[in-house]
Amino acid sequence: MICVTIGGETRQLEPGASIGQVLADPSAVAARVDGRLTDLTERLEHDAVVEPLTFDSDDGREVYWHSASHLMAQAVKQLYPEAKVTIGPAVPEGFYYDFDVERPFTEADLVKIEERMAELAKQRIPVVHKLLPRAEAVELFRSRGETYKLELIDGLPDETISVYEQGDFVDLCRGPHVTSTGKIKAVKLLSVAGAYWHADEKNRMLSRVYGIAFPSKELLQAYLDRMEEARRRDHRKLGPALDLFSFHEEAGAGLAFWHPKGATVRRLIRQYWEKEHLAAGYQLVLTPHIARAGLWETSGHFDYYAENMYLLEVENEQYVLKPMNCPGHMLIYRTKVHSYRDLPLRMSEWGTVYRRERSGVLHGMMRVRGFTQDDAHIFCTPEQVEDEVHGVVGLSVKMLRAFGFEQFKVDLSLRDPVRRDKYLGADEQWTLGEQSLVRALERVGLPYRRAEGEAVFYGPKIDIKLLDSLGREWQCPTCQFDFNEGKRFDLYYMGQDGRHHPVYLVHRTVLGGIERFMGILVEHYAGAFPVWLAPVQVRVLSVSDVEAGYAREVGRKLEAAGLRVEIDLKSDKISLKVSEAERQKIPFMFVVGGREAARGDVSVRRHGKGNLGAASLESALAQIQEENNVPG
Ligand SMILES: [Zn+2]
Ligand SMILES: [Zn+2]
């Protein structure tokens, strides 16, 4: 008998049963046995700890999607026998497979392949793992003309080669895989693109087919609906459509131009940000956009960040367009001798930085070459570290909630517990830093993931991801210790003992890049900003030219009440004017016709809710003010 622990429960078993038989869980797609990922067909011969993996786990999903890529390759080989298979991995959302075909696949091909995949899934073909002697594996793929597989085998050192077989299809693969094609319940092939073998443009161009698969039709439909909604909210479409921002080929890629409405939203974000930061004891500073190369040698950026920096030549001297705000703040700190009584010092700036990003990674406002960070650096004593970190985390969560984000995912990046030699800074600095981050998260009550070994070489950090209204994750706030830069700039404070002590330095940002945050907000709200943040809060629409004077008077009164107002006096039909205002996602529309003008009323319309009926101007104004909740 062997002793097998499954999900914490230990059982005595006859050796030789497969994991799948022992688990008897139809939702399991693979398993971990003593930590090792494996197929459910593997037989249990020894004592083991078995952890079933379903589609709901990251590992399980990867196995599932990779299995779907085999199914796709099988369908392709049946439909296009001359196609050569290459590789087909799972990706963060779905899978792809690269095929060498004379004619690249088209959308019409994808439909055919998808149908064949469904037929093969219905047949519930067993997926069988085989270990072949090297020569046999070479012969197998040679006889099938799979030259790419032969090349891959060439690169493997092993004497036995692992393959997976399902019916007439066999693939070179380490696995694991689901046990049957019948496990792949719902597939959608999403797109086709060109890709070079080994990502090298000297090689042949392959046809890459992307797809996604789910264990039920409902899950697939929910995914497709979410994708459709994301497309509808795409900030690259909504931004220009709502007259918020634009990009210009003439000016260069990755450089955003903020229009008056976008700039209004940005100003409102900034006003709220400054109010919160001044209240939290931050001081505002401003630093230049360029600085001599020497400053970046002192800071160390020339050592590890040079490829991201724009260099300028001024009077035979090298200058750098700043990629980071930190060195500027270090210089300001160093202009004085700071006593422990002056600390903590919280220096903040909406600092615009420029980074050389490859054109291939640029993406609307989300990834740009020039952007403004809501940056700050905190200089403090070891005794103050914990409260400062707590302050940063608390402020971050408070501010993000003001923008309607309620769910967060937190990563705590710590040292590698074994290889402690690869970090800069003293052991007690790291210990204090790590402990303060943990305590701050616990005081704020945020659950977090401990990422041992993921800290950068100069200090531990907290990263907070927010979940938007579509459940997508966006990394925004960061709180990063730095045991390197303070030393490089020789930053210290005078302690109570009258001696110099190295200052503790924390880099932190709440919103991250403002351009990116704007992109996130546009998609989160689908362009319909809450009243406090809307660039135009109310539009007054006249029904005919007769009411133009009254419409202007209403507009003046709304402006006098501090609202952001537009007046539409165009002689278009009112229905057209209303639908235009709806398209602009303006929260309130006040329609004024003859009856409203005679009574001193307006007819109130709320975006997304429709007509709310006539009201006196005073009570209509009160309706706006009731929703106009500037946070803080
Ligand atoms: Zn595989
Ligand atoms: Zn910094």
Side-chain angles (χ1 to χ4, degrees), residues 15 33 60 103 116 166 252 255 275 303 309 311 329 372 475 495 511 523 591:
V33 174
R103 172 184 65 79
R116 182 59 65 96
Q166 54 194 67
L255 301 169
K275 193 172 71 180
D303 296 339
M309 308 195 309
L311 305 179
H329 296 187
T372 301
Q475 161 65 51
L511 308 177
E523 298 197 2
V591 177

Side-chain angles (χ1 to χ4, degrees), residues 324-327 329-330 373 375-377 482 485 505-508:
M324 306 246 179
N325 300 304
C326 330
H329 296 187
M330 308 300 126
Q373 273 183 319
D375 214 347
H377 294 93
D482 192 335
E485 203 156 344
L505 170 62
V506 173
H507 309 260
R508 50 111 281 179

Side-chain angles (χ1 to χ4, degrees), residues 346-364:
R346 308 181 190 99
M347 210 185 278
S348 63
E349 176 178 17
W350 271 41
T352 302
V353 295
Y354 293 89
R355 295 179 186 173
R356 285 171 66 144
E357 300 279 5
R358 284 181 298 108
S359 55
V361 302
L362 299 175
H363 181 86

Side-chain angles (χ1 to χ4, degrees), residues 66-67 69-70 88 164 171-177:
H66 175 57
S67 298
S69 89
H70 277 219
Y164 279 77
D171 206 345
L172 172 72
C173 184
R174 224 176 296 256
H177 277 281

Side-chain angles (χ1 to χ4, degrees), residues 148 195-206:
Y148 292 91
Y196 294 104
W197 174 237
H198 289 320
D200 184 343
E201 58 195 64
K202 288 198 239 36
N203 288 334
R204 204 169 145 71
M205 170 83 86
L206 307 168

Side-chain angles (χ1 to χ4, degrees), residues 533-580:
L533 208 49
V536 177
Q537 296 169 303
V538 51
R539 186 182 277 184
V540 183
L541 314 165
S542 60
V543 173
S544 74
D545 293 347
V546 183
E547 295 86 32
Y550 178 61
R552 279 201 203 91
E553 185 193 324
V554 168
R556 267 196 305 276
K557 284 187 178 159
L558 294 170
E559 260 167 10
L563 295 175
R564 296 182 291 280
V565 187
E566 271 180 3
I567 306 169
D568 183 354
L569 301 176
K570 288 196 296 290
S571 47
D572 296 333
K573 266 201 182 137
I574 188 66
S575 57
L576 200 73
K577 289 163 77 163
V578 167
S579 65
E580 169 57 21

Side-chain angles (χ1 to χ4, degrees), residues 298-355:
T298 306
S299 71
H301 287 100
F302 249 112
D303 296 339
Y304 63 93
Y305 207 70
E307 64 189 35
N308 293 86
M309 308 195 309
Y310 289 101
L311 305 179
L312 311 164
E313 187 96 340
V314 184
E315 291 182 351
N316 296 324
E317 256 194 284
Q318 208 170 43
Y319 278 73
V320 172
L321 196 48
K322 77 172 167 183
M324 306 246 179
N325 300 304
C326 330
H329 296 187
M330 308 300 126
L331 290 183
I332 295 174
Y333 182 87
R334 223 171 51 181
T335 55
K336 267 196 248 172
V337 175
H338 296 272
S339 140
Y340 67 95
R341 287 188 210 90
D342 307 327
L343 302 183
L345 192 66
R346 308 181 190 99
M347 210 185 278
S348 63
E349 176 178 17
W350 271 41
T352 302
V353 295
Y354 293 89
R355 295 179 186 173

